[in-house]
Amino acid sequence: MPLRSPWSKRKYKRYTYYPCQNKSCSCYGKSIPRDKLEGAFGEVVKSLQPSPSMLALAKAMFHNAWSARHEQMKKASTSVKRQITEAEKQIERWWFGSCPQPTTL
């Protein structure tokens, strides 16, 4: 169930809170201040440690993604170089085709 964070306004200040939506919880229907809930969530996230196998898997995934992107860039570079060479050939054909040839004496 997604959390929603409505706010209420008192005089000049807004207060953001999360209403508890878990029907089996003793806090059901009560409002929990956003700062308190997000602070507690941040502490949980800080306490998490990935396992060595998870780190190895993530490293392998990043390496594969990097290699695939590197191959794409090499192909794109080759294609651009080929296009430049072809454009230079067309320029030479146009330039030397339209210019009068020098005469020898």
Side-chain angles (χ1 to χ4, degrees):
M1 182 177 312
L3 290 177
R4 51 192 172 88
S5 180
W7 54 270
S8 62
K9 185 176 179 182
R10 293 190 184 152
K11 294 224 178 194
Y12 305 105
K13 189 172 180 184
R14 291 182 180 184
Y15 297 90
T16 309
Y17 60 92
Y18 288 99
C20 179
Q21 300 172 3
N22 184 353
K23 291 184 180 181
S24 62
C25 180
S26 63
C27 295
Y28 177 71
K30 295 182 181 176
S31 299
I32 303 163
R34 180 182 72 178
D35 295 338
K36 182 178 178 182
L37 184 68
E38 290 177 358
F41 181 77
E43 292 301 317
V44 170
V45 169
K46 286 180 188 176
S47 71
L48 297 176
Q49 289 290 324
S51 67
S53 62
M54 186 62 70
L55 286 175
L57 177 62
K59 184 178 178 180
M61 289 172 64
F62 283 119
H63 179 72
N64 289 343
W66 183 269
S67 296
R69 185 68 175 150
H70 186 256
E71 287 299 315
Q72 285 178 344
M73 291 295 100
K74 281 174 33 178
K75 288 178 183 178
S77 175
T78 302
S79 175
V80 168
K81 286 177 184 177
R82 193 176 320 116
Q83 290 174 0
I84 290 171
T85 302
E86 183 59 35
E88 287 173 344
K89 287 179 184 177
Q90 287 179 358
I91 290 169
E92 286 178 17
R93 284 193 300 265
W94 174 81
W95 182 256
F96 292 116
S98 64
C99 290
Q101 297 298 321
T103 57
T104 56
L105 296 172

